[in-house]
Amino acid sequence: MVARIGLMQARRAMSTAKPELVSSNKMFGGLTTRHRHQADTLGCEMGFAVYTPPMDKAVNGQFSVLYWLSGLTCDDTNFITKAGSQKYLAEHGIMVVCPDTSPRGLDLPGQDDSYDFGSAAGFYLNATQDPWATNYRMEEYVTQELRTYISEHFPINEAATGIFGHSMGGLGALNLFLKNRDIYKSASAFAPICHPTTCPWGQKAFKGYLGEDETAWKEYDPVLLLEQTDLDTMPPILVSQGGADDFLTEQLKPETLPSHPNVVVEMHEGYDHSYYFMASFIEQHIQHHAAILSNNP
């Protein structure tokens, strides 16, 4: 018993320990940094990236904060190196935090067999099926452990928190926003998987992580969650979708989102699924969040 208490105390100390700094680069007066820490929720070490604006943009020493969720095959580096967000984050005084897309280094059977399940494909849910249930708890990690960890080590205003993402991460951002309105005050998405219970990516992930009972899948479907939401009182959600996206028809299905003034779906002809698309409209998304978060001092 004493040994168990000692182990729990040691793990707690690791989870609250200052994050290891992997790299740091100055950009637009602020800092783009990468870090590592021990994630108890996931049972592994995890990386995350941060952009901290210049301190003269802070309000009472704190920044509004956005959490970015990346898509399939990505990690914590993709957005921070490709999206071109830092200039606009600096202008608005908003910090961004980019977690990885799944637990890493666990050596679970089948975790690296395909690009759309397992490693780099955590789908931002809490798995209930073996062997994934113990470690694949990305929903809990993002909404609880990482958020608490960031508040302990970075100068953020938790009352002004938003979330956004791309593809699988856009799905995650919409889900976590709709399920945690007390935490996230704003949301947007690039090319999200809108109706995952009806598309191959979602069906494969949900069957593997959540099991055969499709009623459990509904908890992670934005279209179904929006049906249960009072859209009139919900802050507006911005969804940007490229018209030349190869996954548009089979996987993403933006037409299934409800038609409502607070569900803003913008189609951009000629744009694909890549970061070229996201970099083209990232300023608009940051402005969207800034307008909402500025009302949550």
Side-chain angles (χ1 to χ4, degrees):
M1 182 66 176
V2 173
R4 179 175 176 81
I5 293 174
L7 177 60
M8 291 172 61
Q9 290 173 336
R11 291 186 66 186
R12 191 177 299 113
M14 285 191 294
S15 67
T16 59
K18 186 176 181 180
E20 174 191 350
L21 180 64
V22 177
S23 64
S24 178
N25 301 93
K26 189 170 184 177
M27 290 189 72
F28 300 103
L31 288 175
T32 295
T33 53
R34 288 193 67 214
H35 307 267
R36 297 195 67 79
H37 78 124
Q38 179 63 33
D40 290 348
T41 303
L42 308 179
C44 65
E45 192 176 68
M46 290 288 282
F48 63 92
V50 176
Y51 178 70
T52 304
M55 285 306 300
D56 63 5
K57 293 291 188 177
V59 176
N60 298 322
Q62 295 181 323
F63 298 106
S64 301
V65 60
L66 292 175
Y67 288 85
W68 169 267
L69 306 183
S70 285
L72 294 168
T73 76
C74 294
D75 60 22
D76 58 289
T77 66
N78 295 78
F79 178 82
I80 212 74
T81 58
K82 296 180 179 181
S85 64
Q86 287 92 331
K87 180 178 186 293
Y88 311 113
L89 293 166
E91 290 175 357
H92 290 283
I94 300 176
M95 180 181 291
V96 73
V97 178
C98 310
D100 205 343
T101 52
S102 76
R104 300 286 180 168
L106 297 174
D107 197 27
L108 296 176
Q111 70 177 15
D112 299 317
D113 288 354
S114 62
Y115 80 95
D116 54 358
F117 188 84
S119 295
F123 273 81
Y124 305 102
L125 49 72
N126 291 333
T128 59
Q129 303 299 300
D130 291 332
W132 316 101
T134 299
N135 305 98
Y136 273 66
R137 304 189 61 78
M138 289 297 293
E139 178 181 17
E140 182 180 352
Y141 172 68
V142 172
T143 61
Q144 298 182 37
E145 182 176 2
L146 181 63
R147 188 171 58 87
T148 299
Y149 191 77
I150 294 298
S151 71
E152 291 174 350
H153 297 287
F154 295 87
I156 63 165
N157 174 12
E158 286 193 274
T161 299
I163 191 165
F164 62 154
H166 170 237
S167 194
M168 175 188 73
L171 161 66
L174 295 180
N175 281 337
L176 298 188
F177 169 74
L178 292 168
K179 295 168 69 174
N180 300 277
R181 294 274 301 281
D182 57 326
I183 297 174
Y184 304 109
K185 309 305 180 184
S186 61
S188 71
F190 289 91
I193 305 170
C194 295
H195 202 5
T197 57
T198 67
C199 78
W201 278 343
Q203 291 167 346
K204 178 178 179 178
F206 291 170
K207 182 177 180 180
Y209 292 134
L210 303 175
E212 299 282 354
D213 183 1
E214 295 186 14
T215 59
W217 302 5
K218 297 179 181 179
E219 184 181 348
Y220 297 102
D221 189 314
V223 168
L224 302 181
L225 291 176
L226 284 164
E227 290 177 356
Q228 305 168 33
T229 300
D230 182 354
L231 301 182
D232 292 332
T233 61
M234 181 188 74
I237 293 172
L238 173 62
V239 174
S240 296
Q241 175 61 61
D245 191 319
D246 290 340
F247 305 111
L248 177 60
T249 302
E250 183 180 26
Q251 305 284 9
L252 306 179
K253 303 186 177 185
E255 72 281 357
T256 61
L257 293 170
S259 177
H260 190 277
N262 285 337
V263 181
V264 181
V265 180
E266 296 187 352
M267 295 296 298
H268 299 282
E269 291 309 312
Y271 287 92
D272 58 20
H273 199 67
S274 72
Y275 269 88
Y276 296 114
F277 166 50
M278 285 177 273
S280 300
F281 298 97
I282 193 65
E283 180 180 13
Q284 179 191 16
H285 278 248
I286 292 171
Q287 289 172 341
H288 165 81
H289 289 277
I292 298 171
L293 298 181
S294 63
N295 293 320
N296 291 272

